[in-house]
Amino acid sequence: MYSYFISVAMLISAYFIYGKYLEKNFGVDSRDTPVTTMNDGVDYVEINWKKALLIQFLNIAGLGPVTGAIAGAMWGPAAFLWIVFGCIFAGSVHDYYAGLISMRHSGKNIPELIGKYLGKGAERFIKIVTVILLIIVGIAFITGPAEIMKSYTGISKEIWLFLIAIYYIIATMLPIDKIIGKIYPIFGASLIIMVVALMASLLIKGYSIPEVSFQNLHPAGKPIFPFMFVVISCGAISGFHSTQSVLMGRCLKSEFSGRKAFYGAMIIEGIVALTWAAIAIAFFGGTEGLAQSGGGMVAISEISKSLLGKAGIILVGFGVIALPISTGDTAFRSARLTIADAVGIEQKSFKNRILVSAPLFLVAGFMSQLGFTTLWRYVAFTNQILATFTLWMCTYFLIKNNKNMFVTGVPASFMTGVMTCYILMAPEGLRMTGSVPYFGGVIVGIVSLVLVINKNKVSKNTGYLKEA
């Protein structure tokens, strides 16, 4: 029980302590931001930091810190450690610096920034990865709610797919302040209130949250490394978040708002993920009970109804329908902007927005025939690959600006090791067994950091002009 509250305290403290250091390290100042110099009334529209915080939180959350945290809880309280330290030193830094660097470069999307700092080959690769990730996230968050609504109403999945898709098209095409800027802050605040209500009910009803442990309690014996670090993405670190930081980075009037909107939103998401992981373990009496529950949507439904009664039914409806839809439409919005930037089509014109969006939704319509589970299997890999490249991009930005590069370089190296091991070991990877995947991950992770440290030394000896 104490571990949970200590973990929450650490996350909140990190915002004021480590977040403040990161702000100073980056060197935020009062220069004009993209929304001041490039306001187009569509994607570059001023939004105050309070609304931006709640929109960013909702955009990066959806069901990620709920379903991902529940899946990660299968390893037991060890999940608490990754959520806390991953959120503080990897995910929050990733989201914050991705947003700030985009603001320093006229609101450019992540692939273009990766191309600037890591080279054109990396840019081409990440453009493909990013668009695939955004489309899959968007489709998964059409398919999931549609399947749930079918079970609730008896109306066919195809009709719900059509209705949700119509909303996505409207939300993707309209200026960001028309729907997203008005409704999403309310949804974001509601999600926070619901999580607090669930935890309060859990404690009032006498459930016991286990203390932090390094022990692997996964019922199937699946290794903690690298699988838990990929399964728990939202709440620890997620590449998808960088695409959403760009959206809000185009709307903030001051760089000083970045810590509140980006680092703050990720800290809140870490608390949400930590809370759901704790609730899942406590409610089902451990990982064996959690495994028998069926996990995912089934576990969410049972927990919510049991802890909150009739209000829980509303929570389930809101959680599995409204939240994923709100994340799905911003995924498509990010995909539209990424494609538009890649091919050089400005988006102030409504006609141009249709030109880019039409083929995007045609592809999405075809892929939506796949089930939610099938789609979601491909999210984890592309998501963490994007996060790894984004961290390295941030690291090279810091090197070129003579800043402390270790704040992003160390988590980038760690994630490089995680993804290397995952590719070597995972069923959708090379399926290698034994110690080779672990050695491979450790070696590649360390070597990558050593090379960047050497790059940093060279830059200090030769001197770099500041990039921004």
Side-chain angles (χ1 to χ4, degrees), residues 33-47 52 56 98-100 102-112 176 243-254 262 333-334 336-342 347:
T33 60
V35 73
T36 302
T37 59
M38 302 172 63
N39 193 314
D40 63 0
V42 180
D43 299 304
Y44 294 81
V45 179
E46 184 178 342
I47 295 176
Q56 172 77 358
L100 285 177
S102 177
M103 292 173 72
R104 286 282 176 97
H105 292 85
S106 304
K108 286 187 180 296
N109 280 306
I110 295 302
E112 282 69 37
I176 195 166
T243 67
Q244 305 308 293
S245 291
V246 169
L247 289 184
M248 285 299 97
R250 295 178 175 189
C251 300
L252 291 176
K253 192 174 181 179
S254 170
F262 304 133
R333 190 180 195 92
S334 296
R336 169 175 66 80
L337 293 169
T338 300
I339 294 170
D341 286 355
Q347 293 294 280

Side-chain angles (χ1 to χ4, degrees), residues 2-308:
Y2 292 112
S3 295
Y4 168 78
F5 291 104
I6 291 172
S7 296
V8 171
M10 289 176 64
L11 287 167
I12 295 173
S13 298
Y15 171 80
F16 294 100
I17 300 172
Y18 195 54
K20 192 68 176 177
Y21 169 75
L22 292 171
E23 183 178 66
K24 182 179 179 181
N25 181 58
F26 188 89
V28 300
D29 55 38
S30 57
R31 73 183 66 195
D32 288 339
T33 60
V35 73
T36 302
T37 59
M38 302 172 63
N39 193 314
D40 63 0
V42 180
D43 299 304
Y44 294 81
V45 179
E46 184 178 342
I47 295 176
N48 68 59
W49 73 262
K50 295 177 183 177
K51 283 188 176 181
L53 166 64
L54 292 171
I55 294 169
Q56 172 77 358
F57 167 60
L58 191 67
N59 287 352
I60 65 177
L63 284 178
V66 181
T67 55
I70 290 174
M74 294 292 290
W75 280 275
F80 298 174
L81 294 170
W82 172 230
I83 291 172
V84 172
F85 291 104
C87 179
I88 293 172
F89 296 108
S92 296
V93 184
H94 166 279
D95 295 8
Y96 182 25
Y97 277 6
L100 285 177
I101 293 171
S102 177
M103 292 173 72
R104 286 282 176 97
H105 292 85
S106 304
K108 286 187 180 296
N109 280 306
I110 295 302
E112 282 69 37
L113 295 174
I114 287 174
K116 179 177 179 61
Y117 289 101
L118 300 183
K120 291 299 179 182
E123 178 181 358
R124 286 189 288 270
F125 173 68
I126 287 300
K127 278 181 179 177
I128 296 171
V129 170
T130 301
V131 172
I132 290 174
L133 172 63
L134 291 170
I135 291 176
I136 293 176
V137 168
I139 296 168
F141 286 163
I142 292 177
T143 305
E147 290 175 351
I148 295 296
M149 287 304 293
K150 177 185 176 181
S151 68
Y152 275 14
T153 65
I155 299 174
S156 71
K157 171 185 170 183
E158 286 69 27
I159 292 177
W160 285 114
L161 284 172
F162 175 76
L163 293 174
I164 296 170
I166 291 298
Y167 166 74
Y168 275 11
I169 293 170
I170 294 171
T172 300
M173 302 288 286
L174 286 177
I176 195 166
D177 60 331
K178 299 305 181 187
I179 295 179
I180 294 172
K182 287 182 170 61
I183 300 175
Y184 286 17
I186 299 172
F187 284 173
S190 298
L191 178 57
I192 296 170
I193 292 169
M194 285 185 229
V195 170
V196 172
L198 280 168
M199 177 52 71
S201 179
L202 185 86
L203 297 176
I204 290 170
K205 293 187 178 184
Y207 287 93
S208 177
I209 301 172
E211 303 299 340
V212 166
S213 166
F214 291 99
Q215 185 179 0
N216 182 0
L217 299 178
H218 198 288
K222 185 175 286 189
I224 290 178
F225 188 92
F227 294 104
M228 187 183 76
F229 297 91
V230 176
V231 169
I232 302 178
S233 53
C234 294
I237 181 170
S238 167
F240 174 73
H241 293 186
S242 65
T243 67
Q244 305 308 293
S245 291
V246 169
L247 289 184
M248 285 299 97
R250 295 178 175 189
C251 300
L252 291 176
K253 192 174 181 179
S254 170
E255 288 187 354
F256 289 100
S257 299
R259 180 164 66 98
K260 303 180 185 78
F262 304 133
Y263 198 91
M266 185 59 197
I267 289 295
I268 296 172
E269 184 175 39
I271 294 172
V272 170
L274 177 72
T275 302
W276 270 103
I279 289 173
I281 296 173
F283 183 83
F284 292 106
T287 57
E288 292 286 349
L290 178 58
Q292 293 173 10
S293 75
M297 302 293 188
V298 177
I300 293 170
S301 177
E302 188 173 346
I303 289 170
S304 302
K305 291 177 182 178
S306 177
L307 293 181
L308 297 179

Side-chain angles (χ1 to χ4, degrees), residues 369-392:
Q369 301 307 305
L370 300 173
F372 177 84
T373 303
T374 301
L375 289 166
W376 200 249
R377 285 207 310 264
Y378 299 96
V379 171
F381 174 75
T382 54
N383 192 35
Q384 299 302 60
I385 283 290
L386 177 57
T388 303
F389 272 81
T390 300
L391 283 170
W392 283 125

